[in-house]
Amino acid sequence: MLTSRPRGTNDIIPGEVEKWQYIEQIIRDVCCRYGYREIRTPIFEHTELFKRGVGETTDIVEKEMYTFTDRGERNITLRPEGTAAVVRAYLENKLYAGPQPVKLYYIGPMFRYDRPQAGRYRQFHQFGVEVLGAHSPGIDAEVMAMAMEVYTRLGLKGLELHINSLGCPECRPKLRESLQEFMGPKLQDYCPTCQDRFERNPLRILDCKNEKCSQLSAGAPTILDCLCDECAVFFHDVKTHLKELGIDYVVDETLVRGLDYYTHTAFEIMAEGIGAQSSVGGGGRYNGLVGQIGEKDIPGIGYALGLERILLTMEQQNVEFPPSWQPDIFIVTASPEAELTVLKLLAKLRGMGYKADKDYNGRSLKAQMKYAGKLNARYAAIIGENELENGTVMIKDMTTGEQKEVADNKVTEVLGGK
Ligand code: AMP
């Protein structure tokens, strides 16, 4: 073989692909019922879009982008996430000029130069939604409700919705000040990285994995202590909407998203994994992002989940998938004279919506029956010389082994309606 697939990529082959199609079909159905329309943006964009739209100081932009210069000397990046491109498309296609909000969803491959490991790839897939042009806390609740519905419909168990508020540019300086007040007296006991962050971004100190730093930060003020009146009311309203919708949630003050354009609601959904709970998706409000990309003051909220992670969690939880492709009927013949009759019957059945197939490799009658069995065909239709002469077909129920001869125009009666 000339080469294998690039590291961190996967082939999704028949047998697996049906699981993907099943997940995608549920996603599309839920989106449709909530009034979210699909958007398909390019797989690659100008690099600066992600630098601006994802954030210069994020791991994604600093370390993980697939960036190259194309033949026209343009700086191009394979998309590492969906939101920035959707916001660009919203602006570029002037979707803001139509009725608001615009509720969009996407499903597709994303690319990150990550270290490949279980559930972490260089090409992976995300489903995401973005709502642009709506301020109301009701839409935050809708996005969360819809996400929960997707997981429930997929059959996931042990679901928990974690929510937080990140405030707004008004309340962040207050948090910064409170954190500095809290940490300042003990600053010399923190690690050098935290000391370095103290002035620039004390919020990041709360993320430090160093045990001593975590201990020192225990009991530190949180954003919820510092919300301005408007943000506090907004958060209260989001929670009220969730309660009204009967959606349980846990307020998790440690839930943060690092960038300035995130505002108000942040959320994450956890599901039962093997032994521990794991995150199966998350999102939040980004009222500052459209302004970063297009100088328009338009609010937004979004959410994304990784399809590989969902599939893995479904498999861990033994969720049952529908069976993979299997023919309703497999037509068997060992008689060269019957070939034309078989082709016509096959075309007729397919035309009526049945999944029908035949052998193309000159197998013996016995081998064709075995092949039909391997394909899990529901019925086999045997056309031998006798049947050809009589204008009949021998139908074998592959589950019970029962056989009966029927007129060739009565085959569909045995198969059941379509
Ligand atoms: P993020 O955009 O980093 O918030 O990630 C959203 C979701 O995408 C995560 O919950 C993961 O399930 C998935 N994801 C992110 N990076 C990868 C990756 N390298 N491989 C597979 N899934 C990923």
Side-chain angles (χ1 to χ4, degrees):
M1 199 173 70
L2 184 64
T3 181
S4 54
R5 59 176 185 259
R7 195 161 131 79
T9 65
N10 288 302
D11 300 310
I12 305 173
I13 58 176
E16 274 300 299
V17 82
E18 286 85 358
K19 297 180 184 173
W20 285 75
Q21 289 168 340
Y22 172 67
I23 295 174
E24 287 166 10
Q25 184 196 330
I26 288 179
I27 287 173
R28 287 181 195 284
D29 182 52
V30 175
C31 285
C32 179
R33 282 188 292 114
Y34 277 74
Y36 288 67
R37 318 262 303 271
E38 186 176 5
I39 182 161
R40 300 187 188 191
T41 62
I43 298 290
F44 58 87
E45 297 272 354
H46 293 290
T47 302
E48 67 244 39
L49 175 69
F50 300 119
K51 284 196 173 162
R52 264 300 181 89
V54 181
E56 295 265 11
T57 60
T58 55
D59 277 358
I60 293 183
V61 170
E62 282 184 342
K63 301 184 225 159
E64 297 172 359
M65 293 209 300
Y66 270 93
T67 296
F68 59 96
T69 311
D70 75 2
R71 288 170 192 273
E73 300 298 315
R74 294 172 202 92
N75 213 344
I76 297 292
T77 296
L78 302 186
R79 63 182 189 189
E81 57 97 58
T83 308
V86 170
V87 170
R88 183 213 34 80
Y90 170 84
L91 290 164
E92 194 164 341
N93 295 284
K94 298 192 173 51
L95 299 185
Y96 51 80
Q100 303 297 297
V102 176
K103 307 205 285 187
L104 302 165
Y105 82 92
Y106 58 85
I107 303 179
M110 304 293 163
F111 305 83
R112 293 185 196 172
Y113 197 82
D114 232 342
R115 221 166 61 88
Q117 49 190 292
R120 211 147 260 287
Y121 309 101
R122 290 185 174 166
Q123 174 172 339
F124 62 100
H125 299 77
Q126 282 188 344
F127 152 62
V129 307
E130 315 291 346
V131 183
L132 292 150
H135 278 287
S136 110
I139 200 81
D140 298 41
E142 176 178 286
V143 169
M144 290 186 259
M146 182 175 153
M148 292 304 277
E149 185 158 339
V150 167
Y151 297 117
T152 312
R153 286 269 310 273
L154 290 173
L156 287 178
K157 292 184 287 280
L159 293 167
E160 221 168 66
L161 170 65
H162 290 204
I163 64 168
N164 193 19
S165 171
L166 304 180
C168 69
E170 297 281 303
C171 13
R172 295 235 185 88
K174 195 170 152 206
L175 173 65
R176 187 189 158 87
E177 218 171 274
S178 312
L179 284 174
Q180 284 174 335
E181 246 168 56
F182 179 87
M183 291 162 176
K186 304 178 275 185
L187 189 60
Q188 66 285 1
D189 299 329
Y190 277 92
C191 73
T193 317
C194 285
Q195 291 186 20
D196 189 43
R197 285 174 176 165
F198 182 74
E199 277 305 326
R200 284 190 295 136
N201 191 353
L203 194 60
R204 291 288 306 276
I205 297 181
L206 301 175
D207 281 341
C208 184
K209 301 284 174 284
N210 183 316
E211 188 142 336
K212 181 146 185 247
C213 297
S214 316
Q215 278 169 7
L216 287 167
S217 298
T222 69
I223 185 81
L224 294 187
D225 299 324
C226 305
L227 291 185
C228 65
D229 290 348
E230 204 180 306
C231 288
V233 169
F234 192 92
F235 191 45
H236 175 267
D237 287 350
V238 170
K239 290 187 289 186
T240 308
H241 276 86
L242 288 174
K243 273 184 215 144
E244 287 298 321
L245 286 168
I247 297 173
D248 292 333
Y249 59 83
V250 179
V251 175
D252 177 356
E253 290 173 79
T254 64
L255 188 63
V256 290
R257 311 208 124 209
L259 296 166
D260 288 346
Y261 40 72
Y262 287 108
T263 52
H264 298 293
T265 314
F267 66 98
E268 198 159 317
I269 291 142
M270 318 294 282
E272 233 167 62
I274 291 182
Q277 277 205 320
S278 64
S279 164
V280 284
R285 185 167 270 285
Y286 48 77
N287 288 353
L289 180 59
V290 184
Q292 285 275 325
I293 295 176
E295 289 138 33
K296 277 200 181 308
D297 183 19
I298 293 172
I301 175 164
Y303 154 81
L305 66 79
L307 292 180
E308 283 81 358
R309 175 80 65 90
I310 288 297
L311 192 57
L312 207 66
T313 313
M314 288 170 78
E315 284 169 349
Q316 284 170 357
Q317 293 194 0
N318 295 318
V319 169
E320 210 164 302
F321 288 93
S324 53
W325 189 87
Q326 52 195 114
D328 297 314
I329 186 159
F330 189 91
I331 309 177
V332 169
T333 187
S335 149
E337 296 81 59
E339 193 63 23
L340 221 55
T341 311
V342 168
L343 278 182
K344 277 196 207 148
L345 181 58
L346 193 60
K348 179 178 156 193
L349 290 167
R350 286 173 173 167
M352 292 175 75
Y354 292 102
K355 292 179 276 177
D357 214 348
K358 73 181 277 293
D359 166 62
Y360 286 100
N361 280 8
R363 289 177 173 83
S364 70
L365 200 70
K366 203 168 149 205
Q368 288 183 42
M369 289 304 290
K370 211 165 149 191
Y371 180 39
K374 281 218 174 103
L375 289 176
N376 262 328
R378 176 76 186 85
Y379 292 97
I382 305 148
I383 306 181
E385 270 150 34
N386 283 346
E387 285 83 8
L388 193 61
E389 218 162 88
N390 303 338
T392 57
V393 175
M394 182 69 79
I395 304 260
K396 179 174 180 180
D397 182 324
M398 299 294 278
T399 325
T400 62
E402 251 172 65
Q403 297 202 148
K404 71 172 154 188
E405 197 171 341
V406 298
D408 62 6
N409 57 3
K410 295 272 189 289
V411 173
T412 54
E413 281 175 23
V414 180
L415 295 183
K418 262 284 169 221

